[in-house]
Amino acid sequence: ETGVTQSPTHLIKTRGQQVTLRCSSQSGHNTVSWYQQALGQGPQFIFQYYREEENGRGNFPPRFSGLQFPNYSSELNVNALELDDSALYLCASSPGLDVLVDTQYFGPGTRLTVL
Amino acid sequence: RKEVEQDPGPFNVPEGATVAFNCTYSNSASQSFFWYRQDCRKEPKLLMSVYSSGNEDGRFTAQLNRASQYISLLIRDSKLSDSATYLCVVKSNDMRFGAGTRLTVKP
């Protein structure tokens, strides 16, 4: 087990609604990244937080937003849901920002279905 | 062009076979390289990092060619339990994943 948990496991929403997904990182891991994985595709980077500040962002619109809290938990919020937002959402934590050294540990993901 | 491209697959091989996966990346500033394994409906898990000198972990060998921006993974003596999707990952400021190559090892 990676020590990274996510909730809920599955979620069904309708178009236009808002959703909040949650992640609990390993204790001591200051970096959390969020990914979207559509069926048959690799994970796509949404954004990364380091010590509660956004530290990088992929090619996702502003309706995708996040928060990171001091207790190593984080949230991914998606507003105005679209059908194409249906995917597996993964969070991954790592100890710091060292690109060459730090391994990312993934949670089991939240499967979001937008109807 | 995608940042990370992999063999489309799927690969269906018998137990004991040797199978090789290839991956190319477009960002020459990339600094770290990995292979992840993802089982059906599960999260990706790190299989191995990839170093310029090449590295081996049991039946798995990874190679990196920075000049050609090419990464490979070789699996020898395939086991049924190797059946999974293998994701090539390239890291600069963030992690970029390939679409994955599906491997099925059959008895």
Side-chain angles (χ1 to χ4, degrees):
Chain A
E1 297 300 324
T2 63
V4 181
T5 60
Q6 291 186 242
S7 63
T9 306
H10 297 85
L11 198 54
I12 299 174
K13 291 285 190 178
T14 55
R15 210 167 36 171
Q17 284 189 310
Q18 179 267 341
V19 68
T20 297
L21 310 182
R22 294 181 172 83
C23 172
S24 179
S25 302
Q26 281 194 33
S27 180
H29 280 196
N30 294 307
T31 302
V32 64
S33 302
W34 284 89
Y35 297 85
Q36 179 195 67
Q37 186 174 21
L39 199 61
Q41 300 296 316
Q44 300 295 310
F45 174 71
I46 302 175
F47 45 57
Q48 176 176 282
Y49 280 77
Y50 175 71
R51 293 186 184 270
E52 301 156 53
E53 297 286 335
E54 187 176 296
N55 189 55
R57 190 176 183 92
N59 189 26
F60 279 80
R63 60 190 185 83
F64 286 78
S65 63
L67 286 171
Q68 185 186 27
F69 304 101
N71 65 352
Y72 305 110
S73 66
S74 60
E75 290 180 356
L76 164 65
N77 298 289
V78 187
N79 294 321
L81 283 167
E82 300 176 0
L83 297 179
D84 285 349
D85 295 334
S86 295
L88 179 68
Y89 287 85
L90 296 157
C91 74
S93 73
S94 57
L97 285 175
D98 191 327
V99 170
L100 299 182
V101 173
D102 286 348
T103 298
Q104 291 200 344
Y105 298 89
F106 283 85
T110 294
R111 190 164 298 279
L112 173 66
T113 301
V114 182
L115 302 176
Chain B
R1 182 186 172 191
K2 292 182 180 178
E3 286 194 52
V4 182
E5 297 206 52
Q6 295 186 236
D7 284 345
F11 286 65
N12 298 302
V13 303
E15 269 188 295
T18 295
V19 61
F21 302 141
N22 302 317
C23 171
T24 57
Y25 61 95
S26 60
N27 183 357
S28 59
S30 299
Q31 297 175 286
S32 303
F33 309 88
F34 308 89
W35 284 100
Y36 274 71
R37 169 198 170 122
Q38 186 171 27
D39 292 293
C40 189
R41 305 184 76 82
K42 298 285 190 179
E43 73 273 20
K45 293 184 178 177
L46 179 65
L47 179 65
M48 58 196 303
S49 300
V50 187
Y51 304 115
S52 296
S53 54
N55 48 299
E56 188 174 308
D57 182 2
R59 298 181 293 108
F60 299 84
T61 300
Q63 296 277 354
L64 166 65
N65 184 322
R66 284 185 183 269
S68 302
Q69 296 181 199
Y70 169 91
I71 306 159
S72 66
L73 176 68
L74 184 76
I75 305 175
R76 292 181 301 278
D77 188 22
S78 300
K79 310 292 185 190
L80 296 176
S81 57
D82 293 335
S83 296
T85 296
Y86 290 83
L87 298 162
C88 174
V89 184
V90 172
K91 193 175 183 183
S92 50
N93 294 318
D94 54 71
M95 305 227 329
R96 301 289 167 153
F97 286 76
T101 302
R102 174 91 184 127
L103 170 67
T104 301
V105 181
K106 298 185 175 180

